[in-house]
Amino acid sequence: MDGVDGGVGLTALLVAAARAIETQRHDSLAQDIHAEHFVRAAPACSEWPVRLQQVPDGDADPLWGRFARYFGLRTRVLDDFLLRSVRTGARQVVLLGAGLDTRAFRLDWPSGLVVYEIDRAGVLAFKERVLSDLAAAPKARRVPVPADLRADWVTALTTAGFDPAAPSVWLAEGLLFYLPGPVETSLIDAVDRLTVEGSALAFEVKLEKDLWEYRDSAIYTATREQIGIDLLRLFDRGPRPDSVGGLTARGWSASVRTPFDFTRRHGRGPLPEPNDALEGNRWVFAHKPRP
Ligand code: SAM
């Protein structure tokens, strides 16, 4: 199954629904006018809300309240990271596991910037269909790259025009925990190989030693019971590599932050709670320094 109608592809729609809800909040952290159209175009989620007003418990709903706000905050923080990176010299953006990310359409990019979106063919085909029905116009040159990140995606990316000699910024948002540890390691290795000084990478990891311990957390339970997505079954449960250590050993600098750090900074977003499936989430911001 490589589309958005099941398996890990459906998680792309979950994030799109969260962004649709975030967009309509009075205290929105990020705007994504295309997000609700993805949700409405997919039969698998015809019953999902795209406005908080459609959620009976509103903000008290663990899935469409707290978890959706988490995705809204993550979107905003990573928007800011990408825009900062292009202001300081990156000419190419690579979205790994891009899903239904519409940053190529939403953000104000400098001229000449190229956005590469890597995901599986079925997800990108669905995305294309919805965006072309909307006649959506990107604000940068956008290059979808259908590829499986467990196979040879590097050839697909370079064949699509990515230039390893030009500074780039990379994003693995909501991705690495779905991939086996060795795939994460080879992916981070590839990013290091394909980047020059002045490039940057942000990614999300989960630090919990035993994800299963949080099986009964409100977020996992609500996601399983309300929309039938069992995240713990989709996450890879093998040992995780130390990707931050791997990058710093190669000379990158990295800062590791909790989402709650940004909730406090923005005055909006999830805060810690007992039995919290978000407790181990970390957002990593890495830079390959100039000499
Ligand atoms: N980064 C997007 C965002 O935050 O909106 C999407 C996140 S979604 C939770 C995870 C995405 O990773 C899905 O679109 C899925 O298709 C993609 N993905 C998972 N495993 C993949 C693989 N082996 N190759 C390519 N894409 C993959």
Side-chain angles (χ1 to χ4, degrees):
M1 201 184 274
D2 88 339
V4 287
D5 44 354
V8 73
L10 196 52
T11 64
L13 280 165
L14 164 60
V15 186
R19 280 197 286 258
I21 290 173
E22 183 68 36
T23 300
Q24 299 299 332
R25 281 180 176 272
H26 71 277
D27 58 352
S28 169
L29 285 159
Q31 293 285 308
D32 183 349
I33 56 164
H34 300 107
E36 70 173 277
H37 296 280
F38 294 123
V39 181
R40 287 295 161 253
C45 48
S46 56
E47 308 285 305
W48 296 7
V50 289
R51 306 264 187 288
L52 199 58
Q53 294 76 0
Q54 297 163 342
V55 181
D57 290 341
D59 265 323
D61 186 282
L63 169 58
W64 301 121
R66 186 168 186 262
F67 203 16
R69 193 96 238 226
Y70 173 80
F71 292 124
L73 177 69
R74 188 177 79 181
T75 302
R76 167 60 179 276
V77 169
L78 295 174
D79 282 357
D80 291 347
F81 170 79
L82 291 174
L83 289 172
R84 256 193 327 271
S85 301
V86 301
R87 273 199 296 273
T88 53
R91 311 308 307 153
Q92 311 168 92
V93 175
V94 183
L95 304 172
L96 298 161
L100 304 174
D101 180 319
T102 58
R103 288 188 172 94
F105 300 80
R106 293 195 295 110
L107 301 182
D108 287 324
W109 301 108
S111 68
L113 188 108
V114 189
V115 179
Y116 295 93
E117 299 183 357
I118 308 181
D119 208 299
R120 292 165 319 142
V123 171
L124 291 179
F126 169 79
K127 185 175 188 176
E128 259 353 270
R129 181 163 62 76
V130 174
L131 290 170
S132 55
D133 284 353
L134 293 170
K139 297 182 176 177
R141 191 157 79 78
R142 171 176 172 262
V143 183
V145 183
D148 190 322
L149 292 162
R150 293 165 302 186
D152 180 17
W153 58 270
V154 171
T155 303
L157 179 63
T158 48
T159 305
F162 176 82
D163 177 6
S168 50
V169 55
W170 300 63
L171 200 59
E173 179 182 20
L175 171 72
L176 296 179
F177 25 75
Y178 297 105
L179 302 174
V183 174
E184 174 174 334
T185 302
S186 68
L187 194 140
I188 299 283
D189 286 352
V191 173
D192 182 48
R193 269 198 325 277
L194 293 169
T195 44
V196 287
E197 288 78 9
S199 298
L201 161 69
F203 58 98
E204 185 179 32
V205 288
K206 291 179 83 62
L207 296 184
E208 295 98 330
K209 292 263 171 305
D210 178 11
L211 291 174
W212 213 247
E213 260 183 41
Y214 293 86
R215 179 151 186 80
D216 298 326
S217 68
I219 278 180
Y220 290 152
T221 306
T223 307
R224 199 167 56 236
E225 291 180 355
Q226 294 182 40
I227 56 173
I229 300 181
D230 191 343
L231 288 170
L232 285 173
R233 289 203 184 280
L234 293 173
F235 293 157
D236 183 89
R237 303 238 309 284
R240 302 312 307 176
D242 175 11
S243 294
V244 173
L247 283 167
T248 50
R250 291 184 180 92
W252 290 65
S253 66
S255 70
V256 181
R257 310 289 301 276
T258 73
F260 309 127
D261 295 339
F262 292 96
T263 295
R264 294 183 186 106
R265 178 182 296 178
H266 288 284
R268 283 159 278 172
L271 285 166
E273 63 176 38
N275 188 20
D276 191 354
L278 301 178
E279 188 182 315
N281 286 34
R282 294 291 180 276
W283 296 342
V284 181
F285 305 90
H287 294 89
K288 195 175 211 175
R290 293 188 174 84

